[in-house]
Amino acid sequence: AQSVAQPEDQVNVAEGNPLTVKCTYSVSGNPYLFWYVQYPNRGLQFLLKYITGDNLVKGSYGFEAEFNKSQTSFHLKKPSALVSDSALYFCAVRSQTGANNLFFGTGTRLTVIP
Amino acid sequence: DGGITQSPKYLFRKEGQNVTLSCEQNLNHDAMYWYRQDPGQGLRLIYYSQIVNDFQKGDIAEGYSVSREKKESFPLTVTSAQKNPTAFYLCASSGQTSGANVLTFGAGSRLTVL
């Protein structure tokens, strides 16, 4: 079975500090992994994805994520947080083989404090 | 501008009434999806369609119906059989039907049952 866990409902960080939003996954075979961001009353926007190759993936707005196969994790990071980064972040996974459905985590609300 | 248009943005319904949510895309995408978003539960897949005149049930299809008569359009009907229809509904599309396909989301429709 495929699943995604985002263990933190809420993450608070001071502006200018580094941020991390955690994600672990379970999937049959190798995964495709994604991060999306949602601003209030809006749809989700794609940030970045991991397919294969380099474990460090760089995406939009200065975000990056590190794929760790042994820990089945795909944590989202940014070196210096902005107030405008405050939003709801979703991790998602799809198996590279088997079921084609994309499974989303429950989301982590990031608040960047000025 | 290319994108996905969902309407209405807000909808109120009395119990026992069916309601149809519109989703139109001008991205020339083959695949379209409907998700339901509830607080603390992330996104759950209702239905998806990979090609015109074909669609498949997702994880929570009971009480919902869809049609895909045109490539651009994928309306969702919330029927009176859906026991807890109050939620935020998101439509998405993708240019690929498999693999590491990135979803483009609409702005969502918020349905409230009175």
PDB file of all heavy atoms in Angstrom, chain A residues 12 27-28 36 51 53-54 58 61 78 106:
ATOM      1  N   ASN A  12       6.506  26.331  12.849  1.00  0.00           N
ATOM      2  CA  ASN A  12       6.735  27.772  12.980  1.00  0.00           C
ATOM      3  C   ASN A  12       8.229  28.039  12.872  1.00  0.00           C
ATOM      4  O   ASN A  12       9.039  27.324  13.478  1.00  0.00           O
ATOM      5  CB  ASN A  12       6.219  28.291  14.316  1.00  0.00           C
ATOM      6  CG  ASN A  12       4.722  28.134  14.451  1.00  0.00           C
ATOM      7  OD1 ASN A  12       3.982  28.241  13.476  1.00  0.00           O
ATOM      8  ND2 ASN A  12       4.262  27.886  15.669  1.00  0.00           N
ATOM      9  N   VAL A  27       5.891   2.980  -0.295  1.00  0.00           N
ATOM     10  CA  VAL A  27       5.441   2.687  -1.657  1.00  0.00           C
ATOM     11  C   VAL A  27       6.087   1.392  -2.125  1.00  0.00           C
ATOM     12  O   VAL A  27       7.176   1.036  -1.677  1.00  0.00           O
ATOM     13  CB  VAL A  27       5.791   3.863  -2.597  1.00  0.00           C
ATOM     14  CG1 VAL A  27       7.301   3.944  -2.846  1.00  0.00           C
ATOM     15  CG2 VAL A  27       5.035   3.795  -3.898  1.00  0.00           C
ATOM     16  N   SER A  28       5.421   0.687  -3.016  1.00  0.00           N
ATOM     17  CA  SER A  28       6.001  -0.504  -3.614  1.00  0.00           C
ATOM     18  C   SER A  28       6.984  -0.088  -4.694  1.00  0.00           C
ATOM     19  O   SER A  28       6.633   0.681  -5.590  1.00  0.00           O
ATOM     20  CB  SER A  28       4.902  -1.379  -4.225  1.00  0.00           C
ATOM     21  OG  SER A  28       3.976  -1.779  -3.244  1.00  0.00           O
ATOM     22  N   TYR A  36       3.890  20.073  -3.087  1.00  0.00           N
ATOM     23  CA  TYR A  36       2.984  21.105  -3.557  1.00  0.00           C
ATOM     24  C   TYR A  36       2.742  22.090  -2.418  1.00  0.00           C
ATOM     25  O   TYR A  36       2.812  21.724  -1.235  1.00  0.00           O
ATOM     26  CB  TYR A  36       1.636  20.511  -3.975  1.00  0.00           C
ATOM     27  CG  TYR A  36       1.649  19.741  -5.282  1.00  0.00           C
ATOM     28  CD1 TYR A  36       2.044  18.409  -5.313  1.00  0.00           C
ATOM     29  CD2 TYR A  36       1.259  20.338  -6.469  1.00  0.00           C
ATOM     30  CE1 TYR A  36       2.054  17.692  -6.501  1.00  0.00           C
ATOM     31  CE2 TYR A  36       1.259  19.640  -7.666  1.00  0.00           C
ATOM     32  CZ  TYR A  36       1.656  18.320  -7.671  1.00  0.00           C
ATOM     33  OH  TYR A  36       1.664  17.616  -8.858  1.00  0.00           O
ATOM     34  N   ILE A  51      12.495  12.234  -9.397  1.00  0.00           N
ATOM     35  CA  ILE A  51      12.234  11.095 -10.289  1.00  0.00           C
ATOM     36  C   ILE A  51      13.311  10.043 -10.085  1.00  0.00           C
ATOM     37  O   ILE A  51      13.034   8.896  -9.750  1.00  0.00           O
ATOM     38  CB  ILE A  51      12.199  11.543 -11.761  1.00  0.00           C
ATOM     39  CG1 ILE A  51      11.143  12.626 -11.973  1.00  0.00           C
ATOM     40  CG2 ILE A  51      11.935  10.358 -12.675  1.00  0.00           C
ATOM     41  CD1 ILE A  51      11.145  13.206 -13.365  1.00  0.00           C
ATOM     42  N   GLY A  53      18.068   9.791  -9.840  1.00  0.00           N
ATOM     43  CA  GLY A  53      19.318  10.523  -9.948  1.00  0.00           C
ATOM     44  C   GLY A  53      19.685  11.248  -8.674  1.00  0.00           C
ATOM     45  O   GLY A  53      19.563  10.706  -7.573  1.00  0.00           O
ATOM     46  N   ASP A  54      20.111  12.488  -8.795  1.00  0.00           N
ATOM     47  CA  ASP A  54      20.600  13.287  -7.673  1.00  0.00           C
ATOM     48  C   ASP A  54      19.567  13.350  -6.564  1.00  0.00           C
ATOM     49  O   ASP A  54      18.393  13.681  -6.804  1.00  0.00           O
ATOM     50  CB  ASP A  54      20.923  14.696  -8.167  1.00  0.00           C
ATOM     51  CG  ASP A  54      21.751  15.480  -7.157  1.00  0.00           C
ATOM     52  OD1 ASP A  54      21.858  15.042  -5.998  1.00  0.00           O
ATOM     53  OD2 ASP A  54      22.282  16.536  -7.530  1.00  0.00           O
ATOM     54  N   LYS A  58      16.128  20.639  -6.553  1.00  0.00           N
ATOM     55  CA  LYS A  58      15.861  22.071  -6.381  1.00  0.00           C
ATOM     56  C   LYS A  58      14.574  22.428  -7.115  1.00  0.00           C
ATOM     57  O   LYS A  58      14.306  21.925  -8.214  1.00  0.00           O
ATOM     58  CB  LYS A  58      17.026  22.896  -6.903  1.00  0.00           C
ATOM     59  CG  LYS A  58      18.298  22.688  -6.083  1.00  0.00           C
ATOM     60  CD  LYS A  58      19.377  23.660  -6.477  1.00  0.00           C
ATOM     61  CE  LYS A  58      20.657  23.412  -5.696  1.00  0.00           C
ATOM     62  NZ  LYS A  58      20.468  23.647  -4.246  1.00  0.00           N
ATOM     63  N   TYR A  61      10.965  28.955  -5.999  1.00  0.00           N
ATOM     64  CA  TYR A  61      11.002  29.881  -4.858  1.00  0.00           C
ATOM     65  C   TYR A  61      12.116  29.554  -3.861  1.00  0.00           C
ATOM     66  O   TYR A  61      11.990  29.857  -2.676  1.00  0.00           O
ATOM     67  CB  TYR A  61       9.651  29.891  -4.125  1.00  0.00           C
ATOM     68  CG  TYR A  61       8.464  30.038  -5.044  1.00  0.00           C
ATOM     69  CD1 TYR A  61       7.491  29.048  -5.121  1.00  0.00           C
ATOM     70  CD2 TYR A  61       8.325  31.153  -5.870  1.00  0.00           C
ATOM     71  CE1 TYR A  61       6.409  29.169  -5.977  1.00  0.00           C
ATOM     72  CE2 TYR A  61       7.251  31.278  -6.733  1.00  0.00           C
ATOM     73  CZ  TYR A  61       6.293  30.279  -6.774  1.00  0.00           C
ATOM     74  OH  TYR A  61       5.228  30.384  -7.623  1.00  0.00           O
ATOM     75  N   LYS A  78      14.450  24.987   3.023  1.00  0.00           N
ATOM     76  CA  LYS A  78      14.781  26.277   2.430  1.00  0.00           C
ATOM     77  C   LYS A  78      15.777  26.954   3.361  1.00  0.00           C
ATOM     78  O   LYS A  78      15.563  26.960   4.580  1.00  0.00           O
ATOM     79  CB  LYS A  78      13.536  27.149   2.245  1.00  0.00           C
ATOM     80  CG  LYS A  78      13.807  28.438   1.482  1.00  0.00           C
ATOM     81  CD  LYS A  78      12.509  29.179   1.180  1.00  0.00           C
ATOM     82  CE  LYS A  78      12.812  30.434   0.364  1.00  0.00           C
ATOM     83  NZ  LYS A  78      11.585  31.208   0.057  1.00  0.00           N
ATOM     84  N   THR A 106      -1.198  14.637   4.721  1.00  0.00           N
ATOM     85  CA  THR A 106      -2.267  15.438   5.322  1.00  0.00           C
ATOM     86  C   THR A 106      -1.933  16.922   5.379  1.00  0.00           C
ATOM     87  O   THR A 106      -2.764  17.723   5.772  1.00  0.00           O
ATOM     88  CB  THR A 106      -2.579  14.936   6.734  1.00  0.00           C
ATOM     89  OG1 THR A 106      -1.364  14.893   7.482  1.00  0.00           O
ATOM     90  CG2 THR A 106      -3.198  13.549   6.690  1.00  0.00           C
TER      91      THR A 106
END
